[in-house]
């Protein structure tokens, strides 16, 4: 892993970002396959796209939110 990954994960967790967003971000950043369709939430998908594109501040939209 690299410092960018660890710093981003720490920042998102300390900020209280939605757990689904954080999980999606980590999977996207690491280029893991997406979850099965029945397990994808809006927060996960947003996180996955941000992680894949190495967007480091997208989590702010998910602070204090809970995935439906």
């Amino acid at each position: 892993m690299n410092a960018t990954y660890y710093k981003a994960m720490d920042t998102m967790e300390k900020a209280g970002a939605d757990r689904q967003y954080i999980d999606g971000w980590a999977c996207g950043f690491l280029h893991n396959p997406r979850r099965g369709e029945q397990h994808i939430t809006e927060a996960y998908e947003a996180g996955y796209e941000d992680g894949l594109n190495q967007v480091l501040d997208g989590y702010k939209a998910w602070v204090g939110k809970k995935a439906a």
Side-chain angles (χ1 to χ4, degrees):
M1 295 299 158
N2 64 36
T4 301
Y5 174 85
Y6 285 115
K7 184 173 190 242
M9 293 294 287
D10 186 56
T11 300
M12 289 186 280
E13 288 174 353
K14 286 179 179 174
D18 184 279
R19 185 76 233 171
Q20 294 292 317
Y21 177 88
I22 294 171
D23 290 348
W25 189 93
C27 288
F29 188 87
L30 298 172
H31 295 269
N32 290 341
R34 281 182 169 83
R35 291 178 177 169
E37 187 176 322
Q38 69 274 23
H39 299 290
I40 292 179
T41 64
E42 182 182 355
Y44 176 87
E45 187 64 26
Y48 190 92
E49 289 300 319
D50 285 350
L52 195 61
N53 295 307
Q54 296 188 9
V55 174
L56 302 176
D57 63 352
Y59 75 90
K60 292 176 183 176
W62 295 94
V63 172
K65 286 187 171 183
K66 294 292 179 197

